[in-house]
Amino acid sequence: MDVLDLARLQFAMTGSLHFLFVVLTLGLAPLVAIMHTRYARTGSTLDERATRFWGQIYVTNYALGIVTGIVMEFQFGLSWSGLTHYAGDVFGAPLALETLIAFFLESTFLGLWIFGWHRLPKWLHVATIWLVTITAYASAFWIMVANSFLQHPAGSVRDGEVLRLDDFGALLTNPSLSMALPHVLSAGLTVGGFVVMSASAYHLFRRTPDRELFSRSLRMGVWTAFAGTMMVVGFGFAQFGPVTGVQPDKFVDRPLAAFGLGMMILIGHLLQLVALVLVILVKWAPRWRFLHPLIMLVTPLPFIAAILGWIAREEGRQPWMIWERLTVADAITPGLTGGQITVSFVAFVGVLTLLAVADYVLIVRIVRRGAHEVALGENPAPAPALTF
Amino acid sequence: MDILWFGVLALLLIGYFTLEGFDLGVGMLLPLTPDRDRAIGAIGPFVLANEVWLIAVAGVLFGAFPACENVLSANYEAVVLLLVSWVLRDAGLWFRRRLFTRAFWEWTIAVASFGVCLAWGLLLAGLGGFSVPFGLLYGLLVAALFVMHGRRFLDWRLTGGGSLLVTGALAAVPAIVPLVGTAGAVVANAAPSANLTVLTFMVLPFVPVLAGAQIWVWRAFGKGPVPAYF
Ligand code: HEM
């Protein structure tokens, strides 16, 4: 493999790892926020335990989202400085806005939420998880603006050798963005819904003590997965118009992209069917044990579909970095050596893969341990008792 | 406008050094700290709010000074070391109470925090065209200042006394020197003023929220019992 292949593979692998965690973050954040709001209103221990249990899963998943995101952010500068050189004046703007007005706040509010148990006033604490959710969605918006610019360089003009920002509004109303953003966000809800269903199904199947908690979560997961799959399929088909409008023949003669697209659609229909059946049976689903292993079995599918979707979108863009403006080969950092890219490949892909595996082990462990031993929001250790 | 955005870049980088400086300092001190739970509990609620300043630095570099972005590829190895160390330090915090043994992750945090300091030395020295040995020495200086700041922070947070201003200012010095040295070149490479205007209009309304959120963290976690999550 030459330098270009390695740099591409590195971006694809770190990007896929990043998205596996991000897609679940996007789906779980609103669900945890809803649970926390419910707890603040009722004050019941059941709601408290549900919030802390799902919150702990959310936060553990988030950890890998951050560390993979750190690597993504700097990778453009490391390996793709040709892109910045050619289009930094346009592409840099949404990335800058993402860090300043979305992620900066998201990270700060998440810290307040994690450590704010037993410390922040009740409703302010609830506000922090809603702010985390809103800023996470804002983050997705800006990243999709940047990505859509690569698919279709709206809002820019050629100025000699480089692209310049011409119309910021056009960048934000890019036809490549309008249906892709809701498609991605619904993919998040689909993933979130299936994960919540599946972890609940595990406990109901094993007949662990928290029957009521997990029956409720199962139903919440079913409704979320139902809404998610309906929207992901709807916005998925709605993407074809704009995509073929600005990238005609995108899936012709690009077998990997076409394969990704086809498999995603297949999985999408399957998940839609599963969610539809479950929503009809939602009343009985917590009790019908034969359903539970089936639910657990399909849970990897929405993750796989999400990665396939990115493969379709980005493979379909080849050989362009920016559609019909700049090729991937011209976007790579000039003079990048085989030694350099090998070192960073091993360092990033190796370390992040190990951490991702560790994180999934941990998430599975948290799920199995159940809702009675959750570190997040634990009561602070009681002050040592005074003896007289 | 370009000077304003250079000010933003400088503020964010200095903020990163003063804030994340004590997290990294406490990280390096861990092997010598008897009560590691309390030390990590002290920095825990601040880490997410502190490290994000560097992400913002990268964002501003991209958006306002894209032509300067090649400092990253020009210092490739240093940036890779910075990122891998940063990632491992974070992983150490998230996993310490939960996977393998605590000692393993505590050593990871300590070594990785030191790795971040060395990488900064190499990167900042690289900006001025200095040699690798000089960069390593500069990294040791960064580490020493951060350790001082970290100790001061632990005293301030756990026993409550004194101020963080002096060590915080010292921790920022290694960043201020290259900022002053490169200011002219950076400003000359700013994005076109139309871009900077868009960024200014978009970001300005959020400045009070950004500042408010950071202040909130300090008010909420500056005193009281030390929370245990990391
Ligand atoms: C029948 C179902 C589906 C259809 C018709 C569909 C259609 C599409 C289309 C046309 C694209 C755009 C490719 C491009 O821009 O070149 C896409 C991308 C994508 N899809 Fe799907 N999709 C479906 C199901 C799913 C499911 C179930 C998921 C995940 C849970 C998913 C996740 C994604 C992602 C993450 C992308 C990349 C970003 C984007 O373009 O929105 N899709 N899909």
Side-chain angles (χ1 to χ4, degrees):
Chain A
M1 262 202 266
D2 62 11
V3 173
L4 181 63
D5 291 334
L6 272 173
R8 283 187 63 202
L9 191 63
Q10 175 176 312
F11 200 91
M13 293 191 69
T14 49
S16 302
L17 277 174
H18 180 57
F19 197 68
L20 280 178
F21 293 91
V22 169
V23 74
L24 181 56
T25 297
L26 288 172
L28 275 185
L31 300 183
V32 173
I34 290 170
M35 292 183 212
H36 195 168
T37 311
R38 196 187 288 166
Y39 164 50
R41 283 173 50 183
T42 64
S44 85
T45 15
L46 189 72
D47 290 327
E48 181 201 340
R49 276 149 41 109
T51 311
R52 286 173 47 205
F53 174 74
W54 296 107
Q56 169 104 50
I57 292 170
Y58 165 75
V59 164
T60 308
N61 177 73
Y62 195 99
L64 255 277
I66 301 182
V67 298
T68 50
I70 290 172
V71 172
M72 295 309 292
E73 169 93 18
F74 285 84
Q75 218 176 145
F76 288 114
L78 282 177
S79 308
W80 303 102
S81 67
L83 171 64
T84 331
H85 177 73
Y86 180 71
D89 283 351
V90 197
F91 189 67
L95 289 183
L97 291 171
E98 192 270 338
T99 59
L100 286 174
I101 63 184
F103 188 66
F104 194 94
L105 291 170
E106 186 183 351
S107 187
T108 311
F109 288 130
L110 183 74
L112 281 158
W113 188 68
I114 295 177
F115 295 96
W117 289 87
H118 312 292
R119 193 174 285 238
L120 299 184
K122 183 168 76 173
W123 285 103
L124 280 180
H125 193 212
V126 174
T128 58
I129 187 71
W130 280 108
L131 288 164
V132 172
T133 309
I134 293 166
T135 46
Y137 276 60
S139 210
F141 170 77
W142 290 113
I143 293 298
M144 290 302 289
V145 169
N147 174 272
S148 302
F149 167 76
L150 302 181
Q151 311 291 337
H152 174 59
S156 63
V157 284
R158 268 188 255 213
D159 174 10
E161 292 286 280
V162 298
L163 286 187
R164 297 246 181 257
L165 183 62
D166 170 46
D167 181 351
F168 186 65
L171 196 65
L172 305 188
T173 51
N174 191 336
S176 281
L177 172 72
S178 45
M179 291 299 148
L181 178 69
H183 188 61
V184 167
L185 296 179
S186 339
L189 284 179
T190 305
V191 168
F194 272 91
V195 166
V196 169
M197 273 203 289
S198 169
S200 308
Y202 170 83
H203 281 279
L204 294 169
F205 186 72
R206 296 283 309 268
R207 298 204 163 112
T208 58
D210 270 312
R211 198 172 169 76
E212 191 181 347
L213 192 158
F214 288 111
S215 300
R216 276 205 209 176
S217 302
L218 183 77
R219 289 194 208 105
M220 186 176 196
V222 169
W223 281 107
T224 310
F226 177 70
T229 51
M230 289 300 149
M231 292 194 297
V232 84
V233 173
F235 287 117
F237 282 112
Q239 271 204 79
F240 281 112
V243 168
T244 47
V246 295
Q247 296 170 303
D249 298 336
K250 183 168 189 177
F251 300 107
V252 182
D253 293 333
R254 290 186 178 92
L256 184 55
F259 168 80
L261 183 71
M263 289 301 285
M264 166 179 60
I265 294 179
L266 193 73
I267 295 177
H269 283 309
L270 181 70
L271 294 177
Q272 199 179 27
L273 190 71
V274 172
L276 183 69
V277 171
L278 286 173
V279 97
I280 294 170
L281 303 178
V282 67
K283 204 168 154 215
W284 304 279
R287 256 177 298 145
W288 288 0
R289 277 181 87 216
F290 71 93
L291 282 175
H292 302 155
L294 296 175
I295 294 176
M296 287 185 256
L297 212 63
V298 293
T299 300
L301 289 180
F303 287 96
I304 295 171
I307 298 305
L308 290 168
W310 280 113
I311 290 177
R313 188 164 166 102
E314 307 309 329
E315 261 298 311
R317 178 168 47 76
Q318 301 306 316
W320 301 105
M321 177 61 110
I322 305 174
W323 190 257
E324 289 179 349
R325 295 284 189 284
L326 178 75
T327 62
V328 171
D330 288 333
I332 197 165
T333 299
L336 186 66
T337 67
Q340 287 177 324
I341 194 70
T342 311
V343 166
S344 63
F345 188 95
V346 172
F348 294 156
V349 176
V351 169
L352 293 179
T353 306
L354 287 177
L355 293 180
V357 171
D359 206 52
Y360 280 132
V361 168
L362 193 55
I363 289 178
V364 169
R365 207 183 274 176
I366 294 168
V367 168
R368 295 175 64 160
R369 197 174 290 157
H372 46 273
E373 261 179 70
V374 177
L376 182 76
E378 226 170 15
N379 261 315
L386 292 177
T387 45
F388 294 97
Chain B
M1 206 60 110
D2 42 10
I3 296 184
L4 172 75
W5 277 94
F6 178 74
V8 173
L9 184 75
L11 176 74
L12 290 170
L13 190 67
I14 291 172
Y16 168 81
F17 269 71
T18 21
L19 294 169
E20 184 71 348
F22 67 76
D23 296 333
L24 295 166
V26 171
M28 286 181 278
L29 281 169
L30 278 187
L32 306 173
T33 308
D35 193 344
R36 298 173 189 181
D37 280 352
R38 263 169 75 74
I40 292 179
I43 58 168
F46 295 95
V47 170
L48 284 170
N50 290 349
E51 67 179 9
V52 78
W53 287 64
L54 182 55
I55 312 234
V57 170
V60 171
L61 200 63
F62 250 124
F65 304 98
C68 297
E69 246 242 317
N70 61 359
V71 300
L72 297 179
S73 52
N75 296 282
Y76 200 94
E77 288 78 7
V79 176
V80 173
L81 177 64
L82 174 67
L83 297 180
V84 171
S85 308
W86 182 1
V87 162
L88 287 172
R89 194 286 308 258
D90 277 16
L93 291 175
W94 292 107
F95 292 157
R96 187 180 77 99
R97 286 175 185 266
R98 303 179 171 90
L99 281 177
F100 315 132
T101 65
R102 288 191 186 202
F104 172 76
W105 291 113
E106 283 156 2
W107 276 100
T108 305
I109 295 171
V111 174
S113 299
F114 184 59
V116 171
C117 297
L118 284 188
W120 273 115
L122 291 167
L123 178 56
L124 295 176
L127 293 183
F130 291 99
S131 64
V132 170
F134 179 82
L136 290 174
L137 279 178
Y138 202 54
L140 289 179
L141 172 73
V142 172
L145 291 171
F146 284 4
V147 164
M148 255 171 58
H149 191 30
R151 272 194 71 152
R152 186 76 272 280
F153 175 83
L154 286 182
D155 280 348
W156 174 84
R157 179 65 184 83
L158 298 178
T159 43
S163 127
L164 296 173
L165 289 180
V166 177
T167 54
L170 284 175
V173 169
I176 295 175
V177 174
L179 276 171
V180 171
T182 57
V186 175
V187 171
N189 275 304
S193 63
N195 285 49
L196 299 182
T197 309
V198 168
L199 291 181
T200 309
F201 270 97
M202 294 297 298
V203 174
L204 210 54
F206 289 92
V207 169
V209 190
L210 294 165
Q214 287 278 322
I215 294 169
W216 191 4
V217 170
W218 282 83
R219 294 193 53 143
F221 306 116
K223 34 183 186 303
V226 171
Y229 184 80
F230 281 152

